[in-house]
Amino acid sequence: MPNLEFGKYAGYIVPAYAISALVIGGLVADTLLRARHWKSEAARREALADKKKTRS
Amino acid sequence: MFRHSLADAAARAVAPLGAAFTFLGLITGSFWGRPMWGAWWVWDARLTSFLVLFLFYVGYMALQAAIDDEAKAARAAGILALVGAVNLPIVHYSVVWWNSLHQGETLFTSGGPKASVVYLWPLALMSFSYFAAFGALWMVRVRGEIWRRRAGALAVQGAR
């Protein structure tokens, strides 16, 4: 079990942890959402291109 | 390097990560500095060169966003990245070259690590975790960037 007794430094350690969690969480969310968006966008445009090709 | 599109994709993908991790280093370092040094910020060589590194990341992203032509943006950003790379040894050796409030080299010294073993294992674990997270996020972002380019190329193809 990690020692979470920060004593008199708690006022510095807790915000540092909180900011780190926020920034890393934001990066993970942004990275995954961005990748998912462009993957589906590329698939959609590929399907459109295929449809156009079969029509012509 | 200039005409390797994957190099540009990798650089474009890593810039926000580099900026965010550098920002974290600055902020959490500041939270450490206040109780240890008695100051949130000092214009010390290590801190200042690290702030310059953060500003380079921000400038890199701003430059890429400001130029519509992707090839021109890649070239301009590539030049800025080369200029910014000069700062890397300055960040690393700043504590050796200048008298600094920041402590000198602690881990990779000729006489072995100066830090107590109590700190070494958590530090090694956290370093590995941060490197792993950085690498994993970078790979996913590169993949996203490749899909973005593929979608862009298909859009141009479809408009013809």
Side-chain angles (χ1 to χ4, degrees), chain A residues 9 11-12 15-16 19-20 23-24 27-28 30-32 34-36 38-39 41-42 45-46 49 52, chain B residues 17 20-21 24 27-28 31 34-36 40 130 137 140-141 144 147-148 150-152 154-155 158 160:
Chain A
Y9 297 117
Y12 302 104
I19 293 169
S20 301
V23 170
I24 291 172
L27 271 181
V28 170
D30 176 66
T31 301
L32 293 179
R34 196 179 287 261
R36 196 175 296 176
W38 285 117
K39 188 183 181 181
E41 190 61 24
R45 288 183 187 173
E46 219 153 84
K52 210 173 174 182
Chain B
L17 293 177
F21 275 65
L24 268 185
I27 292 294
T28 56
F31 275 107
R34 181 70 183 93
M36 295 298 123
W40 293 102
Y130 268 79
L137 287 172
V140 177
R141 289 185 91 91
W147 279 323
R148 186 186 73 79
R150 173 96 185 119
L154 285 164
R160 279 184 195 146

Side-chain angles (χ1 to χ4, degrees), chain B residues 6-160:
Chain B
L6 193 59
D8 178 53
R12 191 183 270 259
V14 83
L17 293 177
F21 275 65
T22 310
F23 172 78
L24 268 185
L26 286 168
I27 292 294
T28 56
S30 185
F31 275 107
W32 179 84
R34 181 70 183 93
M36 295 298 123
W37 298 340
W40 293 102
W41 178 264
V42 284
W43 291 101
D44 162 277
R46 167 60 66 83
L47 272 69
T48 308
S49 57
F50 206 60
L51 176 66
V52 169
L53 177 66
F54 173 70
L55 295 176
F56 260 112
Y57 276 124
V58 174
Y60 182 92
M61 291 187 291
L63 185 64
Q64 278 207 321
I67 303 172
D68 284 336
D69 184 327
E70 290 217 356
K72 280 184 185 160
R75 178 174 272 265
I79 292 168
L80 184 65
L82 284 175
V83 175
V86 173
N87 189 43
L88 295 180
I90 298 175
V91 172
H92 184 74
Y93 291 109
S94 55
V95 290
V96 179
W97 292 340
W98 293 288
N99 266 334
S100 161
L101 191 57
H102 197 282
Q103 79 269 17
E105 292 220 49
T106 316
L107 297 177
F108 304 107
T109 60
S110 53
K114 286 181 193 164
S116 159
V117 179
V118 179
Y119 298 114
L120 283 179
W121 282 111
L123 182 64
L125 178 68
M126 289 311 290
S127 302
F128 173 77
S129 306
Y130 268 79
F131 273 114
F134 190 94
L137 287 172
W138 190 11
M139 290 304 108
V140 177
R141 289 185 91 91
V142 170
R143 209 163 46 171
E145 179 61 22
I146 292 168
W147 279 323
R148 186 186 73 79
R149 287 170 187 220
R150 173 96 185 119
L154 285 164
V156 171
Q157 204 178 312
R160 279 184 195 146

